[in-house]
Amino acid sequence: MARAFLSRQSMNTHKPIKKAVFPVAGLGTRFLPATKAIPKELLPVIDRPLIQYAVDEAREAGIEQMIFVTGRGKTAIVENFDIAFELESTMAERGKDMSVLEPTRFTPGNLITVRQQVPLGLGHAIWCARAIVGDDPFAILLPDELMVGKPGCMKQMVDAYNEVGGNLISVLEVPQDKVSSYGVIAPGATLDMLDGTLTEVKGLVEKPPVDQAPSNKIISGRYILQPAVMRTLEGQEKGAGGEIQLTDAMARMIGEQPFHAVTFGGKRYDCGSKTGFVEATLAIALEREDMGTEVRAIAERLLAK
Ligand code: UTP
């Protein structure tokens, strides 16, 4: 295994990551009927909607422009980041603390929406943002995967990108018998970084049968990609599940451009599934200073029954 030590001191010649795409046009069928009228991305983990956690993570990584790929029934996601005039003036009149709304503020022009008319898959959703992405490398964050860590997952990836450039995905290890639900990497050499591990990506396969999976490292909802992926997505055939798969487009770029996986040092909660959502809520509540002790007592009482 080739090992190299990468230093933050190395010359940064890569175009900076200033844009992030948030695909939020999916149907959220696993949460019906909750998601019939409310977008999945606005379901709250305690008091913040899922999309807020993802936007905060992108901001921590120095990303400025947030591009939401929305669909019908998803307008409330954009409203979450707008000024709520009546609410705010009433709160101000009553002397309420307005700082809770601070994370929802946007510099004018930095929230951009594009529409995916039909949810044809993640790859298609990303392709819908091509005009805004233009010739810049960009990040992708799937808001239903909640990443918790210090530094955050995207910050860790941007730091790695500043060293190696090219394309990066975040990965985590799952038990081998679970791999067939995910995109899986074929790993190459491992490089040590200051905060974590970088693995060269030799191949990618979406939802492989367990006995054909090249590893147990699954793609976990955070990406930094070169704009060339948009050309690869153009005219791409449908893949696994009858959807246009981002994994297939990325797989075609391997060999032509550098491709690495970052193993995230923090925690990842799959809030696209009901049990993952419950786990995230409980784990985050237990860690919160304002409620952790009380929630722990509640959990212990419930478990003692
Ligand atoms: P998922 O497949 O997890 O979300 O897509 P979903 O389709 O909304 O949920 P279920 O499976 O029906 O419960 C991951 C992310 O990609 C977005 C989703 O909104 C979600 O944030 N997505 C998916 C799109 O924007 N467009 C698509 O065509 C598919």
Side-chain angles (χ1 to χ4, degrees), residues 11 38 47 105 120 138 189 205 226 269 286 299 301-302:
M11 290 287 286
I38 298 168
D47 50 10
R105 309 284 186 219
L120 294 176
F138 64 105
V205 40
Q226 295 299 315
Y269 302 103
L286 286 169
R301 202 167 61 234
L302 291 171

Side-chain angles (χ1 to χ4, degrees), residues 23-30 40-41 116 119-122 125 142-144:
V24 294
L27 298 176
T29 53
R30 284 171 288 172
K40 174 172 76 173
E41 298 77 9
Q116 185 191 30
L120 294 176
L122 179 59
L142 308 194
D144 52 3

Side-chain angles (χ1 to χ4, degrees), residues 120-199:
L120 294 176
L122 179 59
H124 182 262
I126 301 305
W127 179 74
C128 289
R130 66 198 177 283
I132 317 291
V133 165
D135 285 331
D136 295 320
F138 64 105
I140 302 172
L141 296 95
L142 308 194
D144 52 3
E145 295 198 31
L146 205 166
M147 310 297 242
V148 181
K150 281 192 174 69
C153 186
M154 188 47 72
K155 169 86 173 81
Q156 201 179 320
M157 291 177 71
V158 167
D159 287 348
Y161 167 85
N162 289 336
E163 304 283 356
V164 294
N167 301 276
L168 289 114
I169 48 180
S170 74
V171 290
L172 55 96
E173 291 182 8
V174 295
Q176 191 73 28
D177 61 330
K178 297 280 186 292
V179 288
S180 51
S181 310
Y182 303 99
V184 178
I185 70 162
T190 299
L191 313 168
D192 285 341
M193 291 199 326
L194 289 180
D195 332 299
T197 307
L198 258 190
T199 307

